[in-house]
Structure formats: C-alpha cells, structure tokens
Amino acid sequence: MRISIQPPLLQRFPGLQVLLRSLTDLRVEKESGPLERFKEKITAEIKEKYRLETVKDEPIFRAYRDFFWRAGIDPTKIRPAAEALIRRILSGKPLPKINTLVDSYNLASIQTGIALGAFNAAKLQGDLTLRPAEKGEKFLGIGMAQPLVLEGAELVVCDEEKLIAVYPYRDAEETKVTLETKELCLLVCGAPGIEETVLKRAGDIAVEYITRFCGGAEVK
C-alpha cells in the first residue's frame, strides 16, 4: 500500500510530507499492565519537559498550528493531536484508555510531537491519496453521531472507495482500530516546516511501541 499527495496540495503547502507504515499479526487487548506502567513513565517525562503556558510555542506545534490555520482549521478549537494529549497531561487529566494499540501510538505521538493516524488495513481498498475535500462530501469520524458535511477547504485522506480521515486530526469510524484489528496502516502526518527525518523517527518510535505492547511485525 502506498500514499500519494495530489499536486495541488503540494503547490498550496510546499514541504508537506506524509509517511506510511504497515504492521501485521497484531494482538490488540483492552488494556495491559506493562503499558499502563509505561504510560506513567512517559507522563512524568512530559511534565518535566513542557509547561502548559508555553507548550503551544514549541516549534513542532507551531508548525502544525500554522498549517491548521492555512487549511481552514482553528487550532484554538481543534488542537494538533500531540499537543492536545500533552495538554491533558499538564492539566492533570488521565490519558484516554482505548486499547493497547491506540494507547501505544498515542504515547509515540506524545513523545515525538507528531500526529499519527491509524486504520484497520483489512477495511482499506487499494492505495491512499491525500487530496482537497470536495464541497458537500460527507465524513463520519470516530464517535460522531452524524456525518460531517465538508466545506471543500479541508484536506482528506481516501482509499479507492471512501474517505478515511480529515487530515491530520480525525480518523473515520469505518476504518478505526478495534480489538479485532490484526493489520494496521499507520499514517505519520507531517506539515510544512517539519523535516522528513523527524517524521521517520516518529514512525520508528510508533512501530517500536506498537510491537512492544501488541506483538506483530512491520511489513517492509
């Protein structure tokens, strides 16, 4: 499986990059004692590294925020994913507990600052494309009661049949990760100003954490 970015987006957002990693033979569980203890370690590190008042000024989050504004997203209402999770930690709130797969890559996102998307590969058809949304397209994100009607300014990821994400902050209900997920498509979501080496490192850490707590292996 591959992902491509349509040329109009590359013209609109020079330097935009997105990477794709694939994993197989995963064993997803509701929770894990070792993972919960690892969460505590990462949480303590984040509290030492950041301050709530200044986290938005970190260069990596500033890059995402600038990208959000240009993509028609208000980052004061919809924050970059890693920043939102870090803010939870700094506010004394617990991290979301979804399952061992989602929780594992959330920790990688927190540690690297990079937004990650994850999809049940068994529900995907063909290659992926990052493209501009079409006005009037409907998107049902995880946890949504009703589909969102897109304005046309958004960026979306689709397979050969359907939308699977509004980039880079909301994944689709149909392709979400569950306890039954065995094969994973992991999207490492870049923004202009974020170097490819940073994205590759985030992908490496995500794969490391996922395989540590869910088994399986990366598909090269």
Side-chain angles (χ1 to χ4, degrees), residues 166-198:
V166 175
Y167 187 89
Y169 70 91
R170 181 64 72 96
D171 296 342
E173 176 73 25
E174 183 177 351
T175 52
K176 71 180 181 182
V177 169
T178 69
L179 298 179
E180 286 71 46
T181 298
K182 304 297 182 186
E183 300 177 353
L184 183 75
C185 172
L186 182 72
L187 206 61
V188 186
C189 304
I194 299 177
E195 298 293 333
E196 184 177 6
T197 53
V198 176

PDB file of all heavy atoms in Angstrom, residues 166-198:
ATOM      1  N   VAL A 166     -10.031  13.079   7.934  1.00  0.00           N
ATOM      2  CA  VAL A 166      -9.824  14.500   7.673  1.00  0.00           C
ATOM      3  C   VAL A 166      -8.439  14.809   8.227  1.00  0.00           C
ATOM      4  O   VAL A 166      -8.182  14.625   9.416  1.00  0.00           O
ATOM      5  CB  VAL A 166     -10.896  15.372   8.338  1.00  0.00           C
ATOM      6  CG1 VAL A 166     -10.573  16.847   8.132  1.00  0.00           C
ATOM      7  CG2 VAL A 166     -12.273  15.060   7.766  1.00  0.00           C
ATOM      8  N   TYR A 167      -7.555  15.221   7.368  1.00  0.00           N
ATOM      9  CA  TYR A 167      -6.135  15.352   7.693  1.00  0.00           C
ATOM     10  C   TYR A 167      -5.870  16.666   8.416  1.00  0.00           C
ATOM     11  O   TYR A 167      -6.354  17.726   7.977  1.00  0.00           O
ATOM     12  CB  TYR A 167      -5.326  15.297   6.393  1.00  0.00           C
ATOM     13  CG  TYR A 167      -3.833  15.248   6.566  1.00  0.00           C
ATOM     14  CD1 TYR A 167      -3.180  14.034   6.692  1.00  0.00           C
ATOM     15  CD2 TYR A 167      -3.071  16.420   6.606  1.00  0.00           C
ATOM     16  CE1 TYR A 167      -1.809  13.984   6.846  1.00  0.00           C
ATOM     17  CE2 TYR A 167      -1.703  16.368   6.765  1.00  0.00           C
ATOM     18  CZ  TYR A 167      -1.083  15.142   6.890  1.00  0.00           C
ATOM     19  OH  TYR A 167       0.280  15.087   7.043  1.00  0.00           O
ATOM     20  N   PRO A 168      -5.073  16.635   9.490  1.00  0.00           N
ATOM     21  CA  PRO A 168      -4.446  15.473  10.120  1.00  0.00           C
ATOM     22  C   PRO A 168      -5.003  15.202  11.511  1.00  0.00           C
ATOM     23  O   PRO A 168      -4.253  14.912  12.437  1.00  0.00           O
ATOM     24  CB  PRO A 168      -2.994  15.928  10.227  1.00  0.00           C
ATOM     25  CG  PRO A 168      -3.121  17.400  10.582  1.00  0.00           C
ATOM     26  CD  PRO A 168      -4.423  17.882   9.963  1.00  0.00           C
ATOM     27  N   TYR A 169      -6.330  15.274  11.691  1.00  0.00           N
ATOM     28  CA  TYR A 169      -6.812  15.236  13.075  1.00  0.00           C
ATOM     29  C   TYR A 169      -8.014  14.336  13.346  1.00  0.00           C
ATOM     30  O   TYR A 169      -8.379  14.150  14.505  1.00  0.00           O
ATOM     31  CB  TYR A 169      -7.148  16.660  13.543  1.00  0.00           C
ATOM     32  CG  TYR A 169      -8.371  17.259  12.889  1.00  0.00           C
ATOM     33  CD1 TYR A 169      -9.637  17.121  13.452  1.00  0.00           C
ATOM     34  CD2 TYR A 169      -8.264  17.955  11.685  1.00  0.00           C
ATOM     35  CE1 TYR A 169     -10.755  17.661  12.851  1.00  0.00           C
ATOM     36  CE2 TYR A 169      -9.382  18.510  11.094  1.00  0.00           C
ATOM     37  CZ  TYR A 169     -10.620  18.361  11.677  1.00  0.00           C
ATOM     38  OH  TYR A 169     -11.726  18.898  11.072  1.00  0.00           O
ATOM     39  N   ARG A 170      -8.663  13.765  12.350  1.00  0.00           N
ATOM     40  CA  ARG A 170      -9.842  12.939  12.642  1.00  0.00           C
ATOM     41  C   ARG A 170      -9.891  11.737  11.711  1.00  0.00           C
ATOM     42  O   ARG A 170      -9.913  11.894  10.489  1.00  0.00           O
ATOM     43  CB  ARG A 170     -11.121  13.781  12.494  1.00  0.00           C
ATOM     44  CG  ARG A 170     -12.414  13.041  12.795  1.00  0.00           C
ATOM     45  CD  ARG A 170     -12.502  12.599  14.239  1.00  0.00           C
ATOM     46  NE  ARG A 170     -12.716  13.717  15.130  1.00  0.00           N
ATOM     47  CZ  ARG A 170     -13.905  14.100  15.573  1.00  0.00           C
ATOM     48  NH1 ARG A 170     -14.986  13.460  15.203  1.00  0.00           N
ATOM     49  NH2 ARG A 170     -14.005  15.122  16.405  1.00  0.00           N
ATOM     50  N   ASP A 171      -9.912  10.524  12.296  1.00  0.00           N
ATOM     51  CA  ASP A 171      -9.997   9.296  11.516  1.00  0.00           C
ATOM     52  C   ASP A 171     -11.451   8.839  11.416  1.00  0.00           C
ATOM     53  O   ASP A 171     -12.307   9.207  12.216  1.00  0.00           O
ATOM     54  CB  ASP A 171      -9.159   8.189  12.165  1.00  0.00           C
ATOM     55  CG  ASP A 171      -7.671   8.524  12.175  1.00  0.00           C
ATOM     56  OD1 ASP A 171      -7.253   9.412  11.405  1.00  0.00           O
ATOM     57  OD2 ASP A 171      -6.924   7.908  12.963  1.00  0.00           O
ATOM     58  N   ALA A 172     -11.729   8.003  10.423  1.00  0.00           N
ATOM     59  CA  ALA A 172     -13.095   7.575  10.133  1.00  0.00           C
ATOM     60  C   ALA A 172     -13.529   6.427  11.040  1.00  0.00           C
ATOM     61  O   ALA A 172     -12.735   5.570  11.434  1.00  0.00           O
ATOM     62  CB  ALA A 172     -13.220   7.156   8.673  1.00  0.00           C
ATOM     63  N   GLU A 173     -14.815   6.411  11.327  1.00  0.00           N
ATOM     64  CA  GLU A 173     -15.408   5.348  12.139  1.00  0.00           C
ATOM     65  C   GLU A 173     -15.242   3.978  11.467  1.00  0.00           C
ATOM     66  O   GLU A 173     -14.897   2.990  12.124  1.00  0.00           O
ATOM     67  CB  GLU A 173     -16.897   5.646  12.361  1.00  0.00           C
ATOM     68  CG  GLU A 173     -17.663   4.578  13.108  1.00  0.00           C
ATOM     69  CD  GLU A 173     -17.335   4.523  14.590  1.00  0.00           C
ATOM     70  OE1 GLU A 173     -16.893   5.551  15.150  1.00  0.00           O
ATOM     71  OE2 GLU A 173     -17.529   3.443  15.195  1.00  0.00           O
ATOM     72  N   GLU A 174     -15.456   3.917  10.158  1.00  0.00           N
ATOM     73  CA  GLU A 174     -15.477   2.628   9.457  1.00  0.00           C
ATOM     74  C   GLU A 174     -14.144   1.900   9.515  1.00  0.00           C
ATOM     75  O   GLU A 174     -14.104   0.667   9.541  1.00  0.00           O
ATOM     76  CB  GLU A 174     -15.884   2.845   7.992  1.00  0.00           C
ATOM     77  CG  GLU A 174     -16.005   1.558   7.193  1.00  0.00           C
ATOM     78  CD  GLU A 174     -16.478   1.789   5.770  1.00  0.00           C
ATOM     79  OE1 GLU A 174     -16.880   2.922   5.447  1.00  0.00           O
ATOM     80  OE2 GLU A 174     -16.444   0.832   4.972  1.00  0.00           O
ATOM     81  N   THR A 175     -13.047   2.635   9.522  1.00  0.00           N
ATOM     82  CA  THR A 175     -11.721   2.005   9.438  1.00  0.00           C
ATOM     83  C   THR A 175     -10.936   2.120  10.751  1.00  0.00           C
ATOM     84  O   THR A 175      -9.732   1.920  10.771  1.00  0.00           O
ATOM     85  CB  THR A 175     -10.910   2.646   8.297  1.00  0.00           C
ATOM     86  OG1 THR A 175     -10.916   4.068   8.445  1.00  0.00           O
ATOM     87  CG2 THR A 175     -11.498   2.273   6.951  1.00  0.00           C
ATOM     88  N   LYS A 176     -11.627   2.409  11.854  1.00  0.00           N
ATOM     89  CA  LYS A 176     -10.928   2.603  13.126  1.00  0.00           C
ATOM     90  C   LYS A 176     -10.330   1.300  13.649  1.00  0.00           C
ATOM     91  O   LYS A 176     -10.741   0.187  13.265  1.00  0.00           O
ATOM     92  CB  LYS A 176     -11.878   3.185  14.167  1.00  0.00           C
ATOM     93  CG  LYS A 176     -12.934   2.217  14.673  1.00  0.00           C
ATOM     94  CD  LYS A 176     -13.833   2.884  15.707  1.00  0.00           C
ATOM     95  CE  LYS A 176     -14.887   1.897  16.234  1.00  0.00           C
ATOM     96  NZ  LYS A 176     -15.794   2.545  17.216  1.00  0.00           N
ATOM     97  N   VAL A 177      -9.372   1.446  14.535  1.00  0.00           N
ATOM     98  CA  VAL A 177      -8.717   0.312  15.185  1.00  0.00           C
ATOM     99  C   VAL A 177      -9.629  -0.242  16.283  1.00  0.00           C
ATOM    100  O   VAL A 177     -10.192   0.510  17.081  1.00  0.00           O
ATOM    101  CB  VAL A 177      -7.378   0.758  15.792  1.00  0.00           C
ATOM    102  CG1 VAL A 177      -6.802  -0.325  16.690  1.00  0.00           C
ATOM    103  CG2 VAL A 177      -6.398   1.129  14.691  1.00  0.00           C
ATOM    104  N   THR A 178      -9.781  -1.571  16.314  1.00  0.00           N
ATOM    105  CA  THR A 178     -10.577  -2.243  17.336  1.00  0.00           C
ATOM    106  C   THR A 178      -9.785  -3.416  17.909  1.00  0.00           C
ATOM    107  O   THR A 178      -8.647  -3.688  17.490  1.00  0.00           O
ATOM    108  CB  THR A 178     -11.900  -2.773  16.762  1.00  0.00           C
ATOM    109  OG1 THR A 178     -11.609  -3.865  15.862  1.00  0.00           O
ATOM    110  CG2 THR A 178     -12.648  -1.679  15.992  1.00  0.00           C
ATOM    111  N   LEU A 179     -10.400  -4.133  18.843  1.00  0.00           N
ATOM    112  CA  LEU A 179      -9.750  -5.312  19.418  1.00  0.00           C
ATOM    113  C   LEU A 179      -9.558  -6.412  18.382  1.00  0.00           C
ATOM    114  O   LEU A 179      -8.733  -7.312  18.585  1.00  0.00           O
ATOM    115  CB  LEU A 179     -10.579  -5.843  20.595  1.00  0.00           C
ATOM    116  CG  LEU A 179     -10.766  -4.899  21.780  1.00  0.00           C
ATOM    117  CD1 LEU A 179     -11.630  -5.549  22.857  1.00  0.00           C
ATOM    118  CD2 LEU A 179      -9.416  -4.483  22.369  1.00  0.00           C
ATOM    119  N   GLU A 180     -10.292  -6.331  17.289  1.00  0.00           N
ATOM    120  CA  GLU A 180     -10.185  -7.360  16.234  1.00  0.00           C
ATOM    121  C   GLU A 180      -9.137  -7.014  15.179  1.00  0.00           C
ATOM    122  O   GLU A 180      -8.861  -7.821  14.289  1.00  0.00           O
ATOM    123  CB  GLU A 180     -11.545  -7.543  15.550  1.00  0.00           C
ATOM    124  CG  GLU A 180     -12.576  -8.295  16.376  1.00  0.00           C
ATOM    125  CD  GLU A 180     -13.081  -7.478  17.551  1.00  0.00           C
ATOM    126  OE1 GLU A 180     -13.403  -6.286  17.349  1.00  0.00           O
ATOM    127  OE2 GLU A 180     -13.120  -8.017  18.676  1.00  0.00           O
ATOM    128  N   THR A 181      -8.549  -5.843  15.260  1.00  0.00           N
ATOM    129  CA  THR A 181      -7.590  -5.416  14.237  1.00  0.00           C
ATOM    130  C   THR A 181      -6.330  -6.280  14.277  1.00  0.00           C
ATOM    131  O   THR A 181      -5.703  -6.426  15.329  1.00  0.00           O
ATOM    132  CB  THR A 181      -7.209  -3.938  14.445  1.00  0.00           C
ATOM    133  OG1 THR A 181      -8.381  -3.130  14.303  1.00  0.00           O
ATOM    134  CG2 THR A 181      -6.171  -3.497  13.423  1.00  0.00           C
ATOM    135  N   LYS A 182      -5.976  -6.825  13.146  1.00  0.00           N
ATOM    136  CA  LYS A 182      -4.762  -7.639  13.015  1.00  0.00           C
ATOM    137  C   LYS A 182      -3.720  -6.956  12.139  1.00  0.00           C
ATOM    138  O   LYS A 182      -2.514  -7.169  12.317  1.00  0.00           O
ATOM    139  CB  LYS A 182      -5.097  -9.009  12.411  1.00  0.00           C
ATOM    140  CG  LYS A 182      -6.142  -9.798  13.165  1.00  0.00           C
ATOM    141  CD  LYS A 182      -5.697 -10.152  14.573  1.00  0.00           C
ATOM    142  CE  LYS A 182      -6.761 -10.987  15.280  1.00  0.00           C
ATOM    143  NZ  LYS A 182      -6.400 -11.220  16.710  1.00  0.00           N
ATOM    144  N   GLU A 183      -4.183  -6.161  11.173  1.00  0.00           N
ATOM    145  CA  GLU A 183      -3.294  -5.482  10.236  1.00  0.00           C
ATOM    146  C   GLU A 183      -3.541  -3.982  10.330  1.00  0.00           C
ATOM    147  O   GLU A 183      -4.689  -3.535  10.348  1.00  0.00           O
ATOM    148  CB  GLU A 183      -3.537  -5.969   8.810  1.00  0.00           C
ATOM    149  CG  GLU A 183      -3.298  -7.466   8.632  1.00  0.00           C
ATOM    150  CD  GLU A 183      -3.612  -7.929   7.223  1.00  0.00           C
ATOM    151  OE1 GLU A 183      -4.143  -7.114   6.440  1.00  0.00           O
ATOM    152  OE2 GLU A 183      -3.338  -9.089   6.901  1.00  0.00           O
ATOM    153  N   LEU A 184      -2.449  -3.231  10.372  1.00  0.00           N
ATOM    154  CA  LEU A 184      -2.552  -1.794  10.627  1.00  0.00           C
ATOM    155  C   LEU A 184      -1.868  -0.988   9.542  1.00  0.00           C
ATOM    156  O   LEU A 184      -0.771  -1.322   9.094  1.00  0.00           O
ATOM    157  CB  LEU A 184      -1.908  -1.463  11.975  1.00  0.00           C
ATOM    158  CG  LEU A 184      -1.994   0.005  12.413  1.00  0.00           C
ATOM    159  CD1 LEU A 184      -3.392   0.345  12.877  1.00  0.00           C
ATOM    160  CD2 LEU A 184      -0.984   0.312  13.513  1.00  0.00           C
ATOM    161  N   CYS A 185      -2.532   0.075   9.146  1.00  0.00           N
ATOM    162  CA  CYS A 185      -1.927   1.103   8.308  1.00  0.00           C
ATOM    163  C   CYS A 185      -1.722   2.325   9.198  1.00  0.00           C
ATOM    164  O   CYS A 185      -2.691   2.888   9.713  1.00  0.00           O
ATOM    165  CB  CYS A 185      -2.847   1.420   7.143  1.00  0.00           C
ATOM    166  SG  CYS A 185      -2.330   2.822   6.143  1.00  0.00           S
ATOM    167  N   LEU A 186      -0.484   2.730   9.400  1.00  0.00           N
ATOM    168  CA  LEU A 186      -0.137   3.839  10.281  1.00  0.00           C
ATOM    169  C   LEU A 186       0.309   5.024   9.442  1.00  0.00           C
ATOM    170  O   LEU A 186       1.234   4.920   8.645  1.00  0.00           O
ATOM    171  CB  LEU A 186       0.986   3.428  11.239  1.00  0.00           C
ATOM    172  CG  LEU A 186       1.431   4.476  12.258  1.00  0.00           C
ATOM    173  CD1 LEU A 186       0.372   4.649  13.337  1.00  0.00           C
ATOM    174  CD2 LEU A 186       2.766   4.087  12.876  1.00  0.00           C
ATOM    175  N   LEU A 187      -0.371   6.151   9.633  1.00  0.00           N
ATOM    176  CA  LEU A 187      -0.078   7.366   8.885  1.00  0.00           C
ATOM    177  C   LEU A 187       0.705   8.322   9.778  1.00  0.00           C
ATOM    178  O   LEU A 187       0.252   8.673  10.863  1.00  0.00           O
ATOM    179  CB  LEU A 187      -1.394   8.017   8.444  1.00  0.00           C
ATOM    180  CG  LEU A 187      -1.398   8.896   7.201  1.00  0.00           C
ATOM    181  CD1 LEU A 187      -0.989   8.083   5.982  1.00  0.00           C
ATOM    182  CD2 LEU A 187      -2.779   9.494   6.998  1.00  0.00           C
ATOM    183  N   VAL A 188       1.894   8.715   9.310  1.00  0.00           N
ATOM    184  CA  VAL A 188       2.715   9.684  10.031  1.00  0.00           C
ATOM    185  C   VAL A 188       2.475  11.033   9.355  1.00  0.00           C
ATOM    186  O   VAL A 188       2.905  11.260   8.224  1.00  0.00           O
ATOM    187  CB  VAL A 188       4.206   9.297   9.987  1.00  0.00           C
ATOM    188  CG1 VAL A 188       5.027  10.248  10.860  1.00  0.00           C
ATOM    189  CG2 VAL A 188       4.398   7.847  10.457  1.00  0.00           C
ATOM    190  N   CYS A 189       1.782  11.907  10.046  1.00  0.00           N
ATOM    191  CA  CYS A 189       1.212  13.115   9.436  1.00  0.00           C
ATOM    192  C   CYS A 189       2.142  14.313   9.585  1.00  0.00           C
ATOM    193  O   CYS A 189       2.323  14.830  10.693  1.00  0.00           O
ATOM    194  CB  CYS A 189      -0.134  13.430  10.071  1.00  0.00           C
ATOM    195  SG  CYS A 189      -1.324  12.070   9.986  1.00  0.00           S
ATOM    196  N   GLY A 190       2.679  14.770   8.487  1.00  0.00           N
ATOM    197  CA  GLY A 190       3.562  15.916   8.503  1.00  0.00           C
ATOM    198  C   GLY A 190       2.825  17.215   8.251  1.00  0.00           C
ATOM    199  O   GLY A 190       1.615  17.243   8.025  1.00  0.00           O
ATOM    200  N   ALA A 191       3.586  18.300   8.304  1.00  0.00           N
ATOM    201  CA  ALA A 191       3.115  19.641   7.994  1.00  0.00           C
ATOM    202  C   ALA A 191       4.309  20.416   7.461  1.00  0.00           C
ATOM    203  O   ALA A 191       5.463  20.057   7.748  1.00  0.00           O
ATOM    204  CB  ALA A 191       2.536  20.322   9.236  1.00  0.00           C
ATOM    205  N   PRO A 192       4.090  21.459   6.676  1.00  0.00           N
ATOM    206  CA  PRO A 192       5.224  22.261   6.204  1.00  0.00           C
ATOM    207  C   PRO A 192       6.073  22.745   7.380  1.00  0.00           C
ATOM    208  O   PRO A 192       5.545  23.184   8.403  1.00  0.00           O
ATOM    209  CB  PRO A 192       4.538  23.435   5.497  1.00  0.00           C
ATOM    210  CG  PRO A 192       3.233  22.875   5.028  1.00  0.00           C
ATOM    211  CD  PRO A 192       2.801  21.940   6.118  1.00  0.00           C
ATOM    212  N   GLY A 193       7.381  22.614   7.219  1.00  0.00           N
ATOM    213  CA  GLY A 193       8.289  23.014   8.285  1.00  0.00           C
ATOM    214  C   GLY A 193       8.753  21.876   9.162  1.00  0.00           C
ATOM    215  O   GLY A 193       9.644  22.059   9.996  1.00  0.00           O
ATOM    216  N   ILE A 194       8.159  20.687   9.003  1.00  0.00           N
ATOM    217  CA  ILE A 194       8.580  19.514   9.777  1.00  0.00           C
ATOM    218  C   ILE A 194       9.386  18.609   8.853  1.00  0.00           C
ATOM    219  O   ILE A 194       8.889  18.149   7.823  1.00  0.00           O
ATOM    220  CB  ILE A 194       7.375  18.760  10.364  1.00  0.00           C
ATOM    221  CG1 ILE A 194       6.595  19.677  11.313  1.00  0.00           C
ATOM    222  CG2 ILE A 194       7.841  17.507  11.105  1.00  0.00           C
ATOM    223  CD1 ILE A 194       5.342  19.052  11.880  1.00  0.00           C
ATOM    224  N   GLU A 195      10.629  18.355   9.221  1.00  0.00           N
ATOM    225  CA  GLU A 195      11.549  17.611   8.360  1.00  0.00           C
ATOM    226  C   GLU A 195      11.184  16.129   8.275  1.00  0.00           C
ATOM    227  O   GLU A 195      10.623  15.556   9.217  1.00  0.00           O
ATOM    228  CB  GLU A 195      12.983  17.752   8.883  1.00  0.00           C
ATOM    229  CG  GLU A 195      13.522  19.167   8.888  1.00  0.00           C
ATOM    230  CD  GLU A 195      13.696  19.721   7.491  1.00  0.00           C
ATOM    231  OE1 GLU A 195      13.903  18.913   6.558  1.00  0.00           O
ATOM    232  OE2 GLU A 195      13.617  20.953   7.325  1.00  0.00           O
ATOM    233  N   GLU A 196      11.547  15.517   7.153  1.00  0.00           N
ATOM    234  CA  GLU A 196      11.261  14.096   6.951  1.00  0.00           C
ATOM    235  C   GLU A 196      11.945  13.234   8.005  1.00  0.00           C
ATOM    236  O   GLU A 196      11.396  12.209   8.432  1.00  0.00           O
ATOM    237  CB  GLU A 196      11.705  13.661   5.551  1.00  0.00           C
ATOM    238  CG  GLU A 196      11.347  12.214   5.230  1.00  0.00           C
ATOM    239  CD  GLU A 196      11.721  11.813   3.827  1.00  0.00           C
ATOM    240  OE1 GLU A 196      12.373  12.629   3.119  1.00  0.00           O
ATOM    241  OE2 GLU A 196      11.381  10.692   3.416  1.00  0.00           O
ATOM    242  N   THR A 197      13.143  13.624   8.442  1.00  0.00           N
ATOM    243  CA  THR A 197      13.836  12.836   9.463  1.00  0.00           C
ATOM    244  C   THR A 197      13.036  12.792  10.759  1.00  0.00           C
ATOM    245  O   THR A 197      13.045  11.772  11.468  1.00  0.00           O
ATOM    246  CB  THR A 197      15.232  13.422   9.750  1.00  0.00           C
ATOM    247  OG1 THR A 197      15.101  14.826  10.061  1.00  0.00           O
ATOM    248  CG2 THR A 197      16.144  13.260   8.549  1.00  0.00           C
ATOM    249  N   VAL A 198      12.350  13.872  11.088  1.00  0.00           N
ATOM    250  CA  VAL A 198      11.518  13.913  12.293  1.00  0.00           C
ATOM    251  C   VAL A 198      10.330  12.966  12.139  1.00  0.00           C
ATOM    252  O   VAL A 198       9.960  12.235  13.067  1.00  0.00           O
ATOM    253  CB  VAL A 198      11.038  15.353  12.566  1.00  0.00           C
ATOM    254  CG1 VAL A 198      10.082  15.394  13.756  1.00  0.00           C
ATOM    255  CG2 VAL A 198      12.226  16.270  12.810  1.00  0.00           C
TER     256      VAL A 198
END
